[in-house]
Amino acid sequence: RNWNPPPFKNTIHVVLVAGYTFLLGLHIMPFITPLHCLGPAGGEGLSFIGKLSIILTTPSQSSSMLCCRYNYAMLDFETHQMNRNYCSGRVRVAFAGSWSTGKTYLMGGLLGKNYSTAQSAPAPTTDKFVCIAAGAPYSDPIRSDDYEQRKHCEIMEHVNDVVRTTCGGKAMANVLDVADTNSEFGDFVFFDMPGWQTEYGKDCVYKTFFHQIIDKVDFTYVVWDVNHGKIEDDFAAFFQNKARGTNYELIYNRYTRDTVDMSFLNQQYAKMSTGQEILSEMYTTKVHENNTQLAVPFHDDMLHLRSKIKSVNQTVHDNRKKMMKENLILHRNKMSGINALRRLKICDRLINEDLNLHVKPRTYHWQRLGLEL
């Protein structure tokens, strides 16, 4: 009696089975959510039971999970990725413009006092990109072990990662995270940016950091005044694909009725806009010069500006979803690689359902277990 030879004795059979298994895996993978997206950010130290409990109780449409799946789909397009705190994080508002237009002073008026490292002078004083997290228990540079406050400024490090990729490993060193006790804007993070100068247009690090911050914040206020009114072409180009009122707004700072020059402002605004819109004095956000004679109008202007900034909060999360959807549509046909089918399936789900503002997201109970059915 002879024993039958064991199956797969031939090496070729083993290789073929392994190959078929691999191909089968490629077809199954698109229906499985990336494992690192199942638990919330910060759950790395939990036990398996703890992670499973969180997965089963976390809504499948949670912002953190949405952000993670978006990042996975955009894996090869680092400049368009975002940290997981972004989707559900605080509203981010940047103040940008030419040098010495009063950006830092204006932020002091909003916060009720200058933030702890602010400097004001006729010459350029802000040489750093400063992230100000309001609603903190102290007003100082954020302490190294205060991760609760530091997470609000995480976008700065994310932007620096993009700068390193774009500029041959170089990074922006002039970055500072600051905490402030202002409670009125406890749901906001402000960014005080250096005044744009001509030489920045030729500096890869500065130019990329400016561009990425303006692209990734929720709203930008471009501060302008007639004394430092020229808007450089390189700076204006950052706003040419954005809409005034939705993505950014102009502030006519140090406004006085006697010296108003709307024609000069419109001449500079034309560099930022691809349309034919003309700014009118009545509908332009103005902040009067802060002096003895204009103290009352200045106070009224700051109340109006506070109100406008708070109103940004109403549409910010919708705008974030719009931006993510636009990026996915733009890069969908460029996705390639061994996991392209999986990324395309997640991309299509995000575009057609999860990021569609006009359709109520469907509830997928299987998604909690990591199945993209």
Side-chain angles (χ1 to χ4, degrees), residues 90-110:
R90 294 183 177 188
V91 180
R92 294 167 171 86
V93 178
F95 287 80
S98 301
W99 60 273
S100 291
T101 54
K103 298 179 291 296
T104 302
Y105 188 80
L106 202 60
M107 292 186 65
L110 288 170

Side-chain angles (χ1 to χ4, degrees), residues 134-146:
Y138 58 92
S139 291
D140 270 317
I142 296 179
R143 298 160 189 162
S144 59
D145 60 345
D146 188 355

Side-chain angles (χ1 to χ4, degrees), residues 109-179:
L110 288 170
L111 296 171
K113 64 182 185 312
N114 285 337
Y115 60 86
S116 61
T117 62
Q119 302 177 48
S120 295
T125 53
T126 304
D127 63 344
K128 295 179 176 64
F129 291 85
V130 184
C131 171
I132 303 122
Y138 58 92
S139 291
D140 270 317
I142 296 179
R143 298 160 189 162
S144 59
D145 60 345
D146 188 355
Y147 300 107
E148 185 62 30
Q149 301 303 323
R150 193 167 289 280
K151 72 179 182 181
H152 301 309
C153 295
E154 188 182 358
I155 190 174
M156 301 285 261
E157 185 57 34
H158 176 64
V159 168
N160 240 339
D161 288 341
V162 176
V163 172
R164 291 186 189 98
T165 303
T166 308
C167 302
K170 296 179 180 178
M172 172 59 66
N174 290 338
V175 175
L176 181 64
D177 301 338
V178 175

Side-chain angles (χ1 to χ4, degrees), residues 37-38 40 53-66 69 362-365 367-368:
C37 293
L38 292 178
S53 174
I54 291 175
I55 289 170
L56 293 175
T57 56
T58 300
S60 60
Q61 300 299 328
S62 71
S63 296
S64 180
M65 186 176 180
L66 195 68
R69 290 164 69 230
R362 293 168 61 187
T363 301
Y364 292 93
H365 298 292
Q367 196 175 63
R368 295 185 179 182

